[in-house]
Amino acid sequence: MGSPEEPRRAEQARVRLPQLRLDELLEELQARLDAARGTRDRVHSLLEAVLSVGRELDLEQALRSIVEAAAVLVDAQYAALGVIGPDGRRLSAFHTVGIAEEQIARIGPYPEGHGILGELIDHPEPLRLAKISEHPASYGFPPNHPPMHTFLGVPIRVHEQVFGNLYLTEKRGGAQFDEEDLSVTSTLAVAAGVAIDNARLYEESRLRERWLRANAEITHTLLSGGEQGVVLALIADRAREITGAVLAVVAIPMDDTDALAVELAVGLDADTYRGVVVPREGSLIGEALSSATPVTSADVSNDERVSSARTPVEGLGPAVAVPIGSAPGAIRGVVLLVRKAGATAFSSSEIEPVKVFAAQAAIAMELAQHRADAEEVAVLKDRDRIARDLHDLAIQRLFATGMTLQSAGRFIEHPEASERVVRAVDDLDETIKIIRSTIFGLRSHEGTEGTGLRARVVRVAGEATPVLGFAPSLRMEGLIDTDVPRETAHHVVAVLSEALTNIARHARAGRADVALTVASGRVRLTVSDNGVGIPADGRRSGLRNMAERAEQLGGELELSSPEGGGTVLVWWVPVASA
């Protein structure tokens, strides 16, 4: 028989047991409530992030908002969004959060997509790492880069195509990225894909609107009778602005030569390119002209088709050359657009509107040619009318007057008066000869005296190439074929030929530059080389001939030797402005 205390102790134990279970249940409930509250707050934050990202219509700002939202959602110290380039293998843009600009500058260029970043490009699937350095694809960080251990990467898709990747590192508090972080980031990536698509569509619509406005402006200028130079400059300038190019160049084929001359240039160092003569063979512009299709270059500074032309390319990068016209044999020129170094290459969607603009340029040039032809026809018709009137009216009346005076002279008995009549008849005969000569001049078509000075200069430079061992660079500017008289043009060609011959014989140069300009009532020929210079005891007969030619025309020959070596020859004479 037990003690009376035992039932009492058993009862007390039964009372304490439910109390302990209740406390445990309450603690568990509190934990679940806290978790639910945390989940609710996180879902709320995710919704806010999705709405914030979706509101952005500017693509760059949308990408920035995505990175910032991702960092906040998973409590990451560092975040980045890498945009995959057109080749699908490298990153073309990189947006970061958490690293100051000064530190970015010390680290150096943005990553291109190697290591862990490249792993997501090659395998676009979510990737979560406890320690970056332990992954086989990891190969360390560049100098001055902050230490990073934990990692979370998620691809961003736009219409099933991978646009880029979200990279998140260093979860605050030393914790690891968990499954919930991965789920939240993946959800944000889906919303980001929609936002990016919307921003791109908006950007494309704005771009189309700008092209339409520019086309309307060009059309108005054309219909208003704008000059070819004005219309071409407007086309080049608008194409440069809309495509984000820093330089726009329009090159025109030269008559009777296998070269193109830069008619106009707008943008970065434009004065340097105006008048430059570019060979058709082996050049980017020449390739577009021959193929009648757009030709691109990823980087003109490393493209022999551009750098071999000896034009400055520092600071320049991607380029596209678009023919002015639509069919081989009917191409009137080439529009060249160049972006700054490091910029994105021209895409096919960007080139299409430029082709439309180039077609506008072809129309402008054709209209200008038709106007010039119409004006020439009008002048020729007027000359024919004047010649006909002189022949049918003036000459016949003068001839009749002379016959009358000859007849009347027989009846004049005074010797002095008879002599005066004879002299008058002779003067009338001379006047008839002068008028007939004028009629012949009026009926002679212009432009039958041979090719222009531009073409002759190109031909002389081309003939000197085998002797020099290299092609001299050419630059021509001004109204060379219009303002330079024929006799002066002969002297210019002779001086250029002599100068290039001297370089080939004596200079031992590896480069020669020729510049021919007409401005301020002067034609100026500059020929420079990087050779050994003119020796003090060298022969001067060729230089004397050039100097005498200049003096005959009221000009001068100037010689100088730059500090870097070589010779600079400047030959100039005055010309009458047209």
Side-chain angles (χ1 to χ4, degrees):
M1 198 170 167
S3 170
E5 293 294 326
E6 289 181 4
R8 190 181 303 114
R9 284 196 296 269
E11 183 65 27
Q12 290 175 350
R14 282 195 298 271
V15 171
R16 283 198 302 271
L17 185 59
Q19 183 67 41
L20 289 173
R21 289 179 179 173
L22 180 60
D23 290 342
E24 290 174 1
L25 289 173
L26 287 174
E27 288 177 4
E28 184 179 351
L29 179 60
Q30 184 64 44
R32 289 175 180 254
L33 287 172
D34 292 340
R37 189 179 298 111
T39 303
R40 183 198 63 188
D41 293 342
R42 199 162 197 186
V43 170
H44 182 70
S45 299
L46 176 60
L47 290 174
E48 283 187 341
V50 169
L51 292 174
S52 174
V53 167
R55 281 195 296 265
E56 296 294 344
L57 289 177
D58 179 78
L59 182 57
E60 290 299 311
Q61 189 56 45
L63 297 178
R64 182 76 182 178
S65 298
I66 292 166
V67 180
E68 292 174 348
V72 171
L73 281 174
V74 298
D75 205 18
Q77 186 175 353
Y78 306 109
L81 193 157
V83 180
I84 299 175
D87 60 1
R89 301 175 59 186
R90 300 170 62 186
L91 299 177
S92 61
F94 206 72
H95 304 265
T96 63
V97 168
I99 304 180
E101 292 294 330
E102 298 80 9
Q103 191 171 6
I104 292 174
R106 290 196 300 270
I107 294 172
Y110 281 117
E112 295 183 350
H114 303 293
I116 297 296
L117 306 188
E119 182 72 14
L120 256 76
I121 296 175
D122 297 335
H123 306 93
E125 298 294 336
L127 178 64
R128 185 161 53 96
L129 302 174
K131 198 168 186 178
I132 296 175
S133 59
E134 294 178 352
H135 193 278
S138 175
Y139 64 90
F141 297 102
N144 302 313
H145 196 285
M148 296 180 180
H149 303 285
T150 56
F151 176 86
L152 177 61
V154 176
I156 297 175
R157 288 181 168 83
V158 178
H159 295 303
E160 300 305 320
Q161 182 178 2
V162 179
F163 173 85
N165 295 303
L166 268 175
Y167 308 111
L168 301 150
T169 61
E170 291 303 284
K171 189 174 178 70
R172 297 182 189 276
Q176 301 290 326
F177 292 109
D178 55 24
E179 286 293 335
E180 191 173 344
D181 293 327
L182 180 59
S183 176
V184 168
T185 310
S186 299
T187 303
L188 179 64
V190 173
V194 176
I196 290 169
D197 190 34
N198 290 338
R200 288 165 76 179
L201 290 173
Y202 179 70
E203 191 174 81
E204 289 173 5
S205 67
R206 290 183 62 190
L207 191 60
R208 281 195 298 270
E209 183 182 351
R210 293 183 67 187
W211 280 117
L212 287 173
R213 283 203 304 266
N215 276 322
E217 185 180 7
I218 301 301
T219 302
H220 175 73
T221 306
L222 285 171
L223 296 178
S224 301
E227 295 293 330
Q228 173 178 316
V230 175
V231 176
L232 288 180
L234 188 59
I235 288 171
D237 199 45
R238 294 296 178 269
R240 179 182 64 86
E241 290 176 359
I242 295 174
T243 59
V246 294
L247 175 68
V249 167
V250 177
I252 308 297
M254 300 179 65
D255 295 335
D256 302 321
T257 67
D258 203 22
L260 299 94
V262 175
E263 184 82 2
L264 64 90
V266 292
L268 182 66
D269 296 330
D271 293 339
T272 308
Y273 303 95
R274 293 192 189 104
V276 171
V277 177
V278 181
R280 179 179 297 199
E281 291 295 328
S283 68
L284 184 70
I285 292 176
E287 188 176 333
L289 182 73
S290 301
S291 64
T293 57
V295 179
T296 60
S297 172
D299 183 6
V300 295
S301 61
N302 295 313
D303 193 329
E304 291 184 356
R305 296 173 298 176
V306 179
S307 57
S308 61
R310 294 188 180 137
T311 52
V313 293
E314 185 178 353
L316 300 179
V320 59
V322 181
I324 301 174
S326 56
I331 305 301
R332 294 178 173 270
V334 176
V335 177
L336 176 69
L337 298 171
V338 190
R339 286 176 173 159
K340 66 180 180 180
T344 56
F346 287 88
S347 63
S348 57
S349 61
E350 291 177 308
I351 295 174
E352 282 302 316
V354 180
K355 289 171 64 177
V356 175
F357 246 46
Q360 293 269 20
I363 294 172
M365 298 173 73
E366 189 170 351
L367 286 176
Q369 184 64 49
H370 285 326
R371 289 194 194 102
D373 291 344
E375 290 171 1
E376 185 177 355
V377 169
V379 169
L380 292 176
K381 285 184 177 179
D382 203 35
R383 287 181 176 183
D384 285 342
R385 181 187 59 77
I386 294 171
R388 186 172 58 252
D389 290 347
L390 286 174
H391 184 273
D392 295 343
L393 301 176
I395 288 182
Q396 296 302 327
R397 294 191 67 174
L398 288 173
F399 186 75
T401 301
M403 294 289 291
T404 302
L405 287 175
Q406 280 183 328
S407 300
R410 301 192 193 100
F411 301 102
I412 298 175
E413 296 179 356
H414 195 284
E416 187 175 344
S418 177
E419 184 181 349
R420 287 185 178 183
V421 169
V422 172
R423 284 204 305 270
V425 171
D426 291 341
D427 288 343
L428 286 173
D429 286 341
E430 189 64 30
T431 302
I432 290 171
K433 290 178 182 178
I434 292 172
I435 292 176
R436 280 177 173 164
S437 176
T438 301
I439 292 172
F440 178 79
L442 286 171
R443 284 178 172 170
S444 296
H445 288 248
E446 290 185 350
T448 59
E449 297 176 351
T451 57
L453 178 55
R454 283 179 180 267
R456 295 172 68 186
V457 167
V458 173
R459 193 154 46 245
V460 169
E463 290 169 354
T465 298
V467 183
L468 290 168
F470 56 85
S473 69
L474 286 178
R475 178 179 175 182
M476 292 184 277
E477 224 177 320
L479 300 175
I480 293 172
D481 289 337
T482 304
D483 285 2
V484 181
R486 181 172 60 171
E487 186 63 29
T488 303
H490 291 328
H491 287 287
V492 171
V493 172
V495 170
L496 175 60
S497 179
E498 181 72 26
L500 293 176
T501 301
N502 288 343
I503 293 173
R505 288 177 177 174
H506 311 296
R508 298 200 295 275
R511 173 174 179 168
D513 299 307
V514 177
L516 180 63
T517 59
V518 176
S520 304
R522 288 183 177 185
V523 56
R524 178 187 180 96
L525 175 67
T526 304
V527 183
S528 59
D529 65 73
N530 63 348
V532 298
I534 301 176
D537 56 348
R539 295 181 59 187
R540 302 272 173 158
S541 56
L543 296 175
R544 278 198 301 272
N545 291 338
M546 288 187 267
E548 288 173 2
R549 288 178 182 274
E551 290 170 2
Q552 289 174 12
L553 300 173
E556 190 177 346
L557 172 70
E558 302 169 0
L559 289 172
S560 62
S561 298
E563 293 183 2
T567 304
V568 177
L569 179 150
V570 179
W571 187 93
W572 66 267
V573 296
V575 293
S577 300

